[in-house]
Amino acid sequence: MSLGQPLSPRVLNPPASLGVIGGGQLGRMFLQAAQRLGFRGGVLSAIEGSPADQIAHWSVIGPPGHLPALRAFAEKAEGVTVEFENVSAPALRWLAREGKVVRPGWRTLWVSQNRLREKTFLRRYEIPHAPWRPVLSAHDLDGLVPALGLPLILKTAASGYDGKGQVRLDRAGDLESAWASLGHAACVAEGWVQFAAEVSVVVARGADGRSVAYPVGLNHHERHILDTTVMPAPVGPIVSQDARNLALGVAEALGTVGVLTVEFFLTAEGRLLVNELAPRPHNSGHLTIEAAVTSQFEQQVRCLCGLPLGHSDLVRPAAMVNLLGDLWSRGEPDWAAALRHDPGAKLHLYGKRTPAPGRKMGHITVIDPDPDTALARARAARAALVTGRA
Ligand code: AMP
């Protein structure tokens, strides 16, 4: 039995009006895919001039949980999807009751926007993950070290991303102060995983319950923020099949309709542990725009509209490097230098006007018959942005 809403056969054909909740780069790339397929694409964006607002056919500006904004959005959108998981579940339920096609549904969001619910889901469906304990009161701190060992990591249950709302603990004596530093919020305490690599799998589950998985991506983080992805990950056929099957199993158990990304820790012994779920396209899947038969964003459109899914095969191996605001620290990056350096490099900029350290401003993808070469080329193109040479 899965948790999701019952499957509905409703289909939206172009030029239906599709609305995405959230104005960031994921919303922008969803709209680009929707518009290419002939749909009208709009956004409910908290800020005017956001990446998605800049290219939308229509926009509603307002907070996504705010009823007047939702009403205006509902008047324009026939189909609704999301670009981040912290969209209010009651808001999505309201949109569905208004007769909108809403995919993924509110139950998927409800599970994935809270680490306690997500871990409980993983445990219930016996999906492998790191050992954990809930922390809801000071009393819960007592049993953590005996149960999980040291180091351990404390993560707020709600609204953490890119390593925010997390503290690593090396000494039992630091538990109370670490929890205080997180504002005594409801938390998940996790045992430390000595992982050899971090990998992810993007899957898409259609409105008919059929699903497809992309090849495994190998992810490298810097300061808890994704830095590079290489696809396919050099993990061998057994781990690769395991990871894809686990990710497909998660989508099925969640009963989600839409794109879902499963992030894993891979241990040196080849064990896969689910770290996080994202019920949407993911930064590690951006390279599918150039490298796969169907991009993750086009799959999101197809899922939302009840259309058949496209092939998820890679046409070529690929690598993606993120462009963070740090690249602007000594002025505007030298775009021409990067493109001159590698005419095969594909530059994506999200239209954000204010660079800030750690802020995702864009990415570069390179496809190449050899994944390692793709990564080296993508890194070199990025380096050329600031040095003006390779
Ligand atoms: P998360 O926000 O849960 O994806 O965590 C951000 C990053 O922190 C991960 O990509 C890992 O590099 C690291 N991390 C999180 N949880 C653990 C863990 N239990 N053991 C080791 N590293 C972790």
Side-chain angles (χ1 to χ4, degrees):
M1 201 199 64
S2 81
L3 290 178
Q5 63 202 18
L7 293 172
S8 132
R10 282 179 68 189
V11 172
L12 296 170
N13 281 305
S17 179
L18 309 182
V20 61
I21 302 182
Q25 62 268 22
L26 297 174
R28 177 179 173 105
M29 289 185 271
F30 165 78
L31 291 180
Q32 286 166 336
Q35 292 170 351
R36 195 168 52 76
L37 268 72
F39 290 96
R40 288 189 54 71
V43 63
L44 173 55
S45 171
I47 322 167
E48 212 169 328
S50 64
D53 176 42
Q54 289 170 24
I55 65 146
H57 286 139
W58 54 264
S59 300
V60 172
I61 307 298
H66 193 215
L67 202 54
L70 273 177
R71 282 223 171 87
F73 181 68
E75 266 170 31
K76 291 182 182 282
E78 294 163 68
V80 174
T81 193
V82 300
E83 68 127 29
F84 66 108
E85 48 271 39
N86 286 319
V87 172
S88 127
L92 280 191
R93 197 165 39 186
W94 181 82
L95 286 163
R97 289 207 181 121
E98 289 293 294
K100 306 297 156 189
V101 175
V102 181
R103 293 167 176 154
W106 66 269
R107 289 181 183 85
T108 297
L109 277 280
W110 178 251
V111 172
S112 59
Q113 63 193 203
N114 179 289
R115 289 187 197 270
L116 284 164
R117 289 196 286 269
E118 193 171 278
K119 299 283 188 204
T120 306
F121 160 78
L122 294 173
R123 184 162 60 197
R124 173 169 165 199
Y125 286 91
E126 297 181 2
I127 297 159
H129 57 283
W132 65 279
R133 291 286 183 281
V135 178
L136 302 169
S137 70
H139 177 69
D140 292 332
L141 298 176
D142 296 341
L144 292 185
V145 173
L148 304 173
L150 284 169
L152 62 78
I153 183 158
L154 213 51
K155 305 181 178 180
T156 54
S159 58
Y161 68 98
D162 286 347
K164 296 190 174 67
Q166 298 193 10
V167 192
R168 177 189 149 136
L169 272 141
D170 293 285
R171 297 180 322 170
D174 295 341
L175 268 173
E176 174 47 43
S177 59
W179 193 42
S181 76
L182 297 174
H184 295 123
C187 281
V188 165
E190 251 179 62
W192 190 256
V193 179
Q194 205 58 53
F195 57 80
E198 292 187 86
V199 298
S200 57
V201 176
V202 179
V203 296
R205 184 167 183 268
D208 59 0
R210 289 191 199 160
S211 42
V212 296
Y214 285 92
V216 180
L218 173 68
N219 300 326
H220 172 71
H221 295 84
E222 290 283 343
R223 293 175 292 148
H224 292 288
I225 303 170
L226 186 68
D227 184 45
T228 65
T229 298
V230 178
M231 196 184 286
V235 291
I238 295 174
V239 170
S240 166
Q241 204 49 52
D242 269 5
R244 296 173 84 194
N245 284 341
L246 278 168
L248 290 166
V250 170
E252 185 66 32
L254 260 180
T256 192
V257 174
V259 172
L260 172 86
T261 307
V262 182
E263 293 184 75
F264 298 93
F265 298 129
L266 175 62
T267 67
E269 304 79 50
R271 270 189 83 209
L272 286 160
L273 299 170
V274 171
N275 173 30
E276 263 199 324
L277 310 179
R280 51 167 172 78
H282 191 258
N283 197 168
S284 62
H286 289 357
L287 49 67
T288 60
I289 294 174
E290 287 88 2
V293 177
T294 317
S295 79
Q296 60 171 353
F297 299 102
E298 181 173 340
Q299 301 285 30
Q300 186 182 17
V301 176
R302 290 176 181 232
C303 291
L304 169 58
C305 296
L307 296 170
L309 299 183
H311 283 310
S312 55
D313 315 54
L314 284 191
V315 180
R316 280 279 177 94
M320 184 254 7
V321 296
N322 267 335
L323 305 180
L324 301 184
D326 311 62
L327 286 168
W328 275 250
S329 62
R330 278 192 256 139
E332 188 72 15
D334 190 343
W335 307 114
L339 300 182
R340 191 179 316 113
H341 173 70
D342 191 335
K346 306 298 280 186
L347 172 68
H348 297 249
L349 288 174
Y350 308 143
K352 296 184 184 175
R353 289 179 187 131
T354 327
R359 186 164 197 219
K360 291 174 181 170
M361 304 295 288
H363 68 269
I364 290 175
T365 299
V366 172
I367 60 172
D368 192 282
D370 175 54
D372 290 337
T373 307
L375 181 59
R377 285 175 54 195
R379 281 183 185 282
R382 180 171 63 181
L385 285 174
V386 283
T387 60
R389 56 189 161 76

